[in-house]
Amino acid sequence: FNIVMLIAIVLNGIFIAFEMKYRLSETDSTAWWVIEAIFTAVFAIELLLKLYVNKLKFFLSRWHLFETSLVVMSLVSLLFDVSGGVLRIVLMFRALRLLRLVRLFKLFHFVVAMVEKKSVSDDVARHMMVISTMVSFVHAHLASQADFVRYFGTSLQGDFIEGEIENPEVARCILQSLLSVYKAISTAVSEEEQLHPALLMEVNAERASKRVAEELERFVLDAHTKQVIEKRDAEAILHPLHKHIMKCADIIDECVEGVE
């Protein structure tokens, strides 16, 4: 099904390019209108099938809402063509149809996964996206708390002591931030419970491996800065480290995108 839709999007992109180049006037536009109507019907049927399968979850996906907006724009463009609407509006909606090509980036992952004999799950992608967002949210809040206390946490007369907060307003802000952090952790844990344990173990292992490699990279760069090792030796160590970090990042990205 995804391959069929990929072909349909590519053909529609070619059709739009030909239409913009060779459609010289509005007087003889029946053939162009019919072809565009066929493509619009194909994409509308795709949306209805997805709505039937996903039901209310359909409206939780940003991609589904984006695809719906594209079909609506195509329908409006067809209606303006029939009614002889304002030419500038018609041209605008025709140009917006090129946004369908954005879907190629999403479908490309499906095709690559199929070639590699892997499966792609929208549910897994949604859960992993929420988990990644919550983890980033927690790290950002914790780092901000430390900086916030460092700059505003003590009175004007007092010296900063790590872990000590003298300003009640700062304490209230920190407590509110911690409450948000705990809510984010709770959300991430509830999402993790919906995933297969093997997938979580793989993601955690790749993240730990990537983190260790990044720490080793900083250690090597620090050693080179302090002239403990030569530039050639540092490059020889860092090159495989960079390849390993990129490999881990690619695996994590695939998991976030729902590739199993």
Side-chain angles (χ1 to χ4, degrees):
F1 179 77
N2 289 316
I3 293 179
V4 172
M5 295 313 304
L6 179 64
I7 295 173
I9 294 172
V10 172
L11 292 178
N12 185 235
I14 296 173
F15 164 75
I16 293 174
F18 272 91
E19 181 185 19
M20 296 177 69
K21 183 175 182 179
Y22 295 108
R23 186 174 179 176
L24 302 178
S25 66
E26 300 297 321
T27 57
D28 187 18
S29 60
T30 304
W32 299 105
W33 189 92
V34 170
I35 296 174
E36 177 57 27
I38 293 173
F39 280 115
T40 302
V42 170
F43 295 127
I45 292 172
E46 177 201 14
L47 282 182
L48 292 175
L49 290 175
K50 289 183 177 180
L51 179 60
Y52 175 77
V53 172
N54 296 291
K55 296 182 173 57
L56 293 179
K57 291 182 179 179
F58 176 89
F59 300 100
L60 300 177
S61 172
R62 290 170 296 177
W63 271 108
H64 290 164
L65 297 178
F66 174 69
E67 294 165 2
T68 303
S69 66
L70 294 180
V71 172
V72 171
M73 285 190 293
S74 297
L75 291 173
V76 172
S77 175
L78 292 173
L79 291 175
F80 269 106
D81 272 349
V82 171
S83 61
V86 181
L87 180 60
R88 183 174 296 178
I89 298 177
V90 174
L91 293 176
M92 180 188 69
F93 279 104
R94 286 179 188 167
L96 288 175
R97 291 177 300 175
L98 289 171
L99 290 173
R100 286 177 184 161
L101 298 178
V102 177
R103 295 183 56 196
L104 290 175
F105 294 101
K106 183 173 186 290
L107 291 176
F108 177 76
H109 293 291
F110 285 97
V111 175
V112 171
M114 291 179 62
V115 172
E116 296 178 352
K117 296 181 179 180
K118 298 179 180 178
S119 61
V120 179
S121 171
D122 289 336
D123 290 335
V124 171
R126 185 167 58 254
H127 292 312
M128 291 299 301
M129 181 62 68
V130 173
I131 293 172
S132 297
T133 303
M134 293 300 103
V135 170
S136 300
F137 179 88
V138 169
H139 285 304
H141 263 265
L142 294 178
S144 299
Q145 288 172 16
D147 292 336
F148 191 71
V149 172
R150 182 175 296 108
Y151 291 112
F152 305 107
T154 59
S155 62
L156 294 177
Q157 295 80 17
D159 296 327
F160 173 72
I161 301 176
E162 188 172 357
E164 180 179 327
I165 299 176
E166 297 182 3
N167 192 321
E169 291 299 323
V170 172
R172 181 175 61 84
C173 292
I174 294 297
L175 288 175
Q176 290 177 338
S177 177
L178 286 173
L179 181 61
S180 299
V181 166
Y182 293 139
K183 287 182 178 179
I185 294 174
S186 176
T187 302
V189 170
S190 63
E191 293 292 330
E192 285 183 353
E193 293 174 351
Q194 308 296 323
L195 297 175
H196 196 279
L199 179 63
L200 289 175
M201 290 180 61
E202 179 182 6
V203 174
N204 291 333
E206 295 299 332
R207 282 177 174 166
S209 179
K210 181 173 177 287
R211 185 166 56 250
V212 170
E214 289 172 343
E215 291 176 358
L216 182 57
E217 177 189 22
R218 288 191 292 268
F219 176 77
V220 173
L221 290 175
D222 185 57
H224 171 63
T225 303
K226 295 179 180 179
Q227 299 182 349
V228 177
I229 58 176
E230 298 291 335
K231 179 179 179 181
R232 182 183 304 175
D233 297 329
E235 290 178 349
I237 299 173
L238 291 176
H239 182 68
L241 276 179
H242 290 161
K243 291 181 64 176
H244 179 74
I245 292 172
M246 292 177 61
K247 180 182 177 182
C248 293
D250 289 339
I251 294 175
I252 294 172
D253 290 340
E254 284 185 352
C255 293
V256 172
E257 291 166 357
V259 178
E260 298 181 285

